[in-house]
């Protein structure tokens, strides 16, 4: 269950204009208690925060304990096979909780619903309702708090309607790729004909589940890229950006509430603004956010390789508040494999791009991820990837074994590798990165950095945990603090200066100075 819930950031709604009598509006009612299990990526977490905010604004009480919940919501991931299995396991665990506990309703939300809408309730009868990635406003009726909504008109006919959910048009590339069949999901039994097309805005109720000092802001939703291994476009719809002013307004409100670190997220944040012809949309947005006085750190996830422009790099370098950190999933380094993946480029182009990034942004932290075992990957392709990783010297790196997903174009490809060989290659590549990471971390010993304290360590009460600007929330290593440096009392969410005293493969040990 989500353990960190900040109810101060829920916008309240009133009963005014609903036709209720004064006596009815004053009648005490016991609020429905709703518990959440949120799985998958930060984008999914924001969806959970929106649903919690909508429920709280509708009168529900959000609880972190499944055993105290009247309604349990499992917000699922369906990106790869392991994520699907984790989601199914969580649903079954909460179904057992419903059977043996006080919960009266179990709702399944998120990407798994888009993929297996009809099968979920058919195979797990304990599930009372499903809510897809484009139906977050339905969470109220699913929880039994409001009557099912009428069909929501298209954006062009919604002028004057009071709704926190704004449907935005997609960009020309998305329309073209739709015509070519990129978003087809007719093979998925029970999938809705319409793609998800909503995106929350600054007026949408939202209840943060992150530590009080940090928050994500989703600046775009969906994806138009043709990557052969990926079904996210079918799960999340065509790419669409939030309005510039909407993002800034939400960031200002979060900063006033005490948030010090904002991470901008989207499937491809570097395409931000293209759907409404905003040139250099991400650099302009970063510049605007850097002007918010109360913010300390700003970062963005994730970048597409050919969208990292000189203007973007110069913007990062010019503003102290913008973390010198880029997460750019490259997926492979072999030109043949990248062509087969429908991405393009290759090791030589990537190395030139990385050199430019590091030259323009001093002290840049660079993160990437790769897929090994894609259909047709030869030993030569894999060794080319290994050589590239040695040459590029990434600060952080993740490796995924290829997952065969129905609906992805790669599902129809031949020359698929055995799972054992895929896992062997994943392990070999991670061992290379482990050596690189160990060397890089050791080079940090003795250096000083700003540190955001996140709280006592989960391993022992004798240590505290924190992050530097080199560490994105949740995905990178940890800085363990074993010396408070004379501070009588440490507080979660505070910034301190620290000196690195010890290095491990991925984690660091520091003392406060």
């Amino acid at each position: 269950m989500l353990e960190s819930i900040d109810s101060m950031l829920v916008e309240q709604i009133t009963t005014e204009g609903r036709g209720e009598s004064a006596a009815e509006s004053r009648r005490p009612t016991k609020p429905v208690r709703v518990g959440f299990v949120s799985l998958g990526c930060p984008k999914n977490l924001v969806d959970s925060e929106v649903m919690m905010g909508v429920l709280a604004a509708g009168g529900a009480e959000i609880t972190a304990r499944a055993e105290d919940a009247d309604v349990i919501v499992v917000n699922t991931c369906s990106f790869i096979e392991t994520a699907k299995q984790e989601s199914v396991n969580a649903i079954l665990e909460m179904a057992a909780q419903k059977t043996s506990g006080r919960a009266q309703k179990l709702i399944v939300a998120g990407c798994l619903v888009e993929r297996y809408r009809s099968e979920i309730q058919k195979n797990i009868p304990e599930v009372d309702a499903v809510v897809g990635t484009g139906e977050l406003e339905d969470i109220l009726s699913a929880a039994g708090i409001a009557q099912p909504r009428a069909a929501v008109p298209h954006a062009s006919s919604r002028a004057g309607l009071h709704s926190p959910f704004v449907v935005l048009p997609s960009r020309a590339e998305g329309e073209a790729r739709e015509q070519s069949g990129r978003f087809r999901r007719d093979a998925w039994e029970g999938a809705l004909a319409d793609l998800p097309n909503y995106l929350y805005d600054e007026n949408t109720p939202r209840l943060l589940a992150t530590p009080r000092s940090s928050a994500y802001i989703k600046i775009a939703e969906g994806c138009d890229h043709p990557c052969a291994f990926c079904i996210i476009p079918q799960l999340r719809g065509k790419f669409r950006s939030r309005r510039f002013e909407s993002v800034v307004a939400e960031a200002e409100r979060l900063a006033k509430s005490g948030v010090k670190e904002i991470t901008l997220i989207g499937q491809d944040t570097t395409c931000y603004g293209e759907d409404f012809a905003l040139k250099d949309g991400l650099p302009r947005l970063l510049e605007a956010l850097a002007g918010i006085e109360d913010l300390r750190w700003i970062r963005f996830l994730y970048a597409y390789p050919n969208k990292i422009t000189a203007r973007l790099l110069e913007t990062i370098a010019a503003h102290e508040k913008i973390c010198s950190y880029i997460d750019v999933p490259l997926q492979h380094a072999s030109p043949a494999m990248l062509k087969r993946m429908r991405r393009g480029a290759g090791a030589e182009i990537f190395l030139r791009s990385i050199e430019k990034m590091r030259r323009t942004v001093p002290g840049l932290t660079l993160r990437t991820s790769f897929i090994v075992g894609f259909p047709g990957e030869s030993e030569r392709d894999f060794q080319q990837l290994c050589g590239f990783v040695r040459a590029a010297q990434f600060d952080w790196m993740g490796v995924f074994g290829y997952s065969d997903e129905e609906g992805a174009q790669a599902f129809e490809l031949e020359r698929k590798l055995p799972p054992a060989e895929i896992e062997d290659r994943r392990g070999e590549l991670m061992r290379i990165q482990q050596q690189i990471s160990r060397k890089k971390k050791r080079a940090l010993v003795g250096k000083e950095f700003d540190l955001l304290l996140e709280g006592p360590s989960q391993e022992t009460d004798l240590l505290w945990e924190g992050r530097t600007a080199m560490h994105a929330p949740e995905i990178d290593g940890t800085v363990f603090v074993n010396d408070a440096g004379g501070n009588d009392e440490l507080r979660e969410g505070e910034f301190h200066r620290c000196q690195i005293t010890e290095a491990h493969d991925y984690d660091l040990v520091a003392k406060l100075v």
Side-chain angles (χ1 to χ4, degrees):
M1 304 295 286
L2 291 180
E3 297 180 354
S4 176
I5 299 173
D6 190 347
S7 59
M8 293 181 64
L9 296 180
V10 181
E11 296 184 22
Q12 299 301 314
I13 61 175
T14 69
T15 58
E16 183 179 3
R18 294 182 183 174
E20 297 174 335
S21 69
E24 288 175 327
S25 66
R26 291 194 300 266
R27 184 181 302 152
T29 58
K30 186 177 181 181
V32 176
R33 288 186 172 184
V34 184
F36 267 78
V37 177
S38 190
L39 305 171
C41 64
K43 298 184 293 294
N44 220 37
L45 179 62
V46 171
D47 287 349
S48 292
E49 292 175 337
V50 167
M51 286 188 283
M52 289 192 293
V54 170
L55 285 163
E61 177 184 330
I62 308 300
T63 176
R65 290 166 49 88
E67 54 267 34
D68 294 338
D70 303 308
V71 177
I72 299 174
V73 181
V74 182
N75 193 14
T76 60
C77 178
S78 186
F79 178 46
I80 56 178
E81 184 60 36
T82 53
K84 288 190 289 187
Q85 190 57 56
E86 181 185 20
S87 294
V88 171
N89 291 343
I91 295 169
L92 294 175
E93 182 181 350
M94 292 303 107
Q97 181 67 42
K98 175 189 172 186
T99 300
S100 62
R102 65 174 283 168
Q104 300 171 3
K105 286 191 175 184
L106 174 60
I107 302 168
V108 176
C111 292
L112 200 73
V113 173
E114 298 294 337
R115 176 64 183 83
Y116 299 103
R117 181 177 293 268
S118 62
E119 297 178 42
I120 292 172
Q121 286 183 283
K122 183 190 304 181
N123 296 324
I124 310 177
E126 293 87 354
V127 175
D128 299 285
V130 294
V131 175
T133 61
E135 305 166 296
L136 301 193
E137 66 268 42
D138 286 341
I139 192 65
L140 282 169
S141 56
I145 295 175
Q147 294 297 315
R149 64 183 175 89
V152 177
H154 190 269
S156 61
S157 62
R158 293 178 66 182
L161 286 180
H162 177 71
S163 172
F165 299 92
V166 180
V167 180
L168 300 174
S170 61
R171 58 184 186 153
E173 291 177 44
E175 299 295 338
R177 292 208 167 108
E178 183 176 30
Q179 294 299 316
S180 68
R182 176 64 180 106
F183 303 96
R184 289 186 60 181
R185 52 185 194 171
D186 49 329
W188 294 353
E189 182 182 352
L192 297 181
D194 293 335
L195 287 168
N197 62 3
Y198 100 96
L199 183 54
Y200 84 101
D201 66 17
E202 78 280 12
N203 296 315
T204 308
R206 183 178 167 201
L207 198 160
L208 295 187
T210 51
R212 183 180 291 266
S213 58
S214 300
Y216 294 105
I217 295 182
K218 189 187 292 189
I219 66 171
E221 180 61 282
C223 183
D224 297 337
H225 293 305
C227 307
F229 50 81
C230 187
I231 60 172
I232 286 176
Q234 293 101 307
L235 297 174
R236 295 261 171 191
K238 290 180 282 188
F239 180 87
R240 54 216 184 266
S241 304
R242 276 178 65 181
R243 297 298 179 189
F244 190 96
E245 297 80 3
S246 172
V247 178
V248 174
E250 183 179 14
E252 289 175 339
R253 188 175 70 244
L254 289 170
K256 289 179 181 177
S257 74
V259 169
K260 299 297 183 183
E261 175 191 35
I262 281 182
T263 302
L264 307 179
I265 56 172
Q267 194 59 33
D268 177 3
T269 54
T270 46
C271 282
Y272 173 76
E274 290 184 3
D275 42 331
F276 40 81
L278 178 62
K279 183 176 175 58
D280 294 319
L282 182 58
R284 291 185 181 189
L285 181 60
L286 290 169
E287 288 174 344
L289 298 181
I292 299 177
E293 183 178 355
D294 293 328
L295 289 181
R296 182 77 172 264
W297 285 348
I298 303 160
R299 72 179 81 234
F300 61 93
L301 309 172
Y302 308 88
Y304 202 73
N306 64 359
K307 297 286 185 178
I308 301 174
T309 63
R311 170 74 184 275
L312 176 60
L313 296 174
E314 290 163 2
T315 300
I316 296 171
H319 295 274
E320 185 179 359
K321 289 184 180 181
I322 302 174
C323 296
S324 298
Y325 182 107
I326 295 178
D327 186 339
V328 52
L330 296 177
Q331 310 304 359
H332 215 281
S334 160
M337 289 310 303
L338 287 162
K339 182 177 180 180
R340 195 167 169 85
M341 290 177 169
R342 302 198 67 183
R343 286 181 65 90
E348 291 186 9
I349 294 174
F350 289 156
L351 286 173
R352 288 198 298 268
S353 178
I354 289 169
E355 192 277 330
K356 180 180 178 180
M357 292 183 214
R358 288 173 169 157
R359 184 177 68 250
T360 308
V361 184
L364 176 68
T365 298
L366 195 58
R367 180 181 181 88
T368 192
S369 57
F370 297 107
I371 296 173
V372 295
F374 188 82
E377 183 187 59
S378 66
E379 180 64 25
R380 180 179 178 182
D381 293 322
F382 176 66
Q383 290 305 322
Q384 187 170 4
L385 173 59
C386 292
F388 170 71
V389 168
R390 292 187 182 98
Q393 297 284 299
F394 294 102
D395 298 282
W396 304 107
M397 189 184 87
V399 182
F400 297 91
Y402 170 74
S403 180
D404 210 22
E405 299 300 322
E406 185 178 4
Q409 292 181 348
F411 188 77
E412 307 298 332
L413 294 178
E414 298 179 349
R415 298 163 55 201
K416 291 177 180 173
L417 277 65
E421 185 173 358
I422 293 175
E423 183 56 28
D424 286 346
R425 291 183 177 182
R426 192 192 73 81
E428 182 177 344
L429 194 60
M430 281 307 302
R431 283 191 291 274
I432 294 172
Q433 177 60 23
Q434 184 179 30
Q435 295 173 357
I436 294 170
S437 180
R438 183 185 303 127
K439 180 180 178 181
K440 281 182 166 285
K441 300 302 176 287
R442 286 177 178 173
L444 299 176
V445 173
K447 295 184 178 180
E448 293 188 4
F449 300 92
D450 290 336
L451 181 78
L452 173 61
L453 287 178
E454 295 195 299
S457 173
Q458 296 179 359
E459 297 185 9
T460 171
D461 292 338
L462 299 177
L463 301 174
W464 272 61
E465 295 182 3
R467 291 183 292 108
T468 72
M470 300 179 293
H471 300 78
E474 302 180 53
I475 58 174
D476 295 328
T478 299
V479 179
F480 293 98
V481 177
N482 64 356
D483 185 343
N487 292 278
D488 295 331
E489 184 178 359
L490 300 180
R491 293 185 178 87
E492 177 184 330
E494 288 184 337
F495 280 86
H496 290 266
R497 194 69 177 168
C498 78
Q499 183 182 63
I500 306 302
T501 58
E502 188 178 330
H504 299 275
D505 290 348
Y506 301 107
D507 297 326
L508 299 167
V509 179
K511 65 178 181 180
L512 302 186
V513 296

